[in-house]
């Protein structure tokens, strides 16, 4: 009898542990075509659900409706102590799952403006993140090693040219390292990888960011 009770306690512990680690993302996969068909190409995003997070100093939270048929990205005035407060109600963006939309602009610290389309999906407990030309990832405040679940990331698919007015950038990945070809109008190549560092451009958020493929 004691053995049965012990096994039940262990089972409850494992279930609770899995629940704590469970994470859901609202994802926007990029496509060049307006019906989101063909190969994925362009700028895409992933947003953690039911957490307060910052993008370029602005605070957001993503929620799903009861049947997970749409997701809402809400913007807030403040995100102190990982709690979003002061809802900016007229800035809510609602996306239907499996819908195809003009890509919104959540690219930060960069003059890039996406010109592609994105298909909306939900990812639950993803085991890994695909390799892209470049990915800039935001981690929770205090995560100095960038080891927790990402709160947000934007990415550019491999060899996608991004126009930025009179200049352009093309990111590509080789040997697990990300590089950028920047043209204005002459071109040069730089290493676009970035170790885990505090977001010094938006110090008040206390977020940590990393750049990789």
């Amino acid at each position: 009898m004691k053995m049965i009770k012990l096994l039940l306690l262990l089972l409850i512990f494992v279930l609770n542990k899995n629940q704590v680690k469970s994470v859901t993302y609202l994802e926007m996969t990029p496509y060049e075509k307006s019906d989101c068909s063909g190969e994925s190409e362009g700028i895409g995003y992933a947003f953690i659900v039911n957490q307060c997070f910052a993008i370029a100093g602005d605070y957001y939270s993503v929620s799903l409706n009861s049947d997970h048929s749409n997701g809402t990205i809400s913007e807030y005035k403040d995100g102190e102590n990982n709690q979003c407060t002061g809802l900016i109600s007229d800035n809510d963006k609602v996306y239907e799952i499996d819908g195809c939309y003009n890509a919104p602009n959540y690219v930060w610290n960069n003059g890039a403006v996406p010109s592609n389309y994105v298909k909306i999906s939900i990812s639950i407990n993803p085991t890994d993140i695909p390799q892209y030309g470049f990915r800039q990832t935001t981690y929770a405040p205090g995560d100095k090693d960038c080891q927790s679940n990402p709160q947000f990331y934007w990415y550019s698919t491999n060899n996608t040219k991004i126009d930025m007015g009179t200049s352009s950038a093309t990111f590509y990945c080789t040997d697990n390292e990300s590089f950028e070809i920047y043209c204005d109008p002459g071109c040069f190549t730089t290493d676009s990888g970035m170790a885990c560092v505090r977001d010094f451009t938006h110090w008040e958020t206390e977020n940590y960011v990393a750049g990789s493929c």
Side-chain angles (χ1 to χ4, degrees), residues 7 17 23 26 48-49 64 97 102-103 112 134 139 151 174 182:
L7 290 173
K17 187 176 180 182
V23 61
L26 182 72
I48 199 166
V49 173
L64 303 175
I97 306 305
N102 287 308
F134 176 73
Y139 293 87
Q151 290 191 317
T174 181
Y182 183 79

Side-chain angles (χ1 to χ4, degrees), residues 1 3 10 17 40 57-58 69 73 92 157 161 164 168-169 174-175 177 184 203:
M1 189 67 178
M3 181 61 70
L10 287 173
K17 187 176 180 182
S40 178
D58 297 320
S69 61
I73 301 177
D92 277 3
T157 56
K161 182 180 178 181
M164 300 182 291
S168 67
T174 181
D175 296 329
E177 290 189 38
D184 186 29
W203 192 259

Side-chain angles (χ1 to χ4, degrees), residues 135-186:
R135 170 169 56 92
Q136 183 167 306
T137 307
T138 299
Y139 293 87
D143 186 6
K144 297 180 180 180
D145 297 318
C146 295
Q147 292 296 314
S148 64
N149 291 318
Q151 290 191 317
F152 163 79
Y153 60 84
W154 74 267
Y155 62 89
S156 172
T157 56
N158 217 26
N159 295 314
T160 294
K161 182 180 178 181
I162 303 171
D163 290 320
M164 300 182 291
T166 59
S167 61
S168 67
T170 301
F171 293 100
Y172 67 94
C173 185
T174 181
D175 296 329
N176 294 318
E177 290 189 38
S178 180
F179 296 90
E180 176 186 2
I181 303 173
Y182 183 79
C183 300
D184 186 29

Side-chain angles (χ1 to χ4, degrees), residues 25-29 45-47 119-123 126 153:
Y25 290 91
L26 182 72
E27 296 189 343
M28 298 185 176
T29 305
Y45 310 95
F47 311 81
K119 187 172 184 179
I120 312 301
S121 63
I122 296 172
S123 177
Y153 60 84

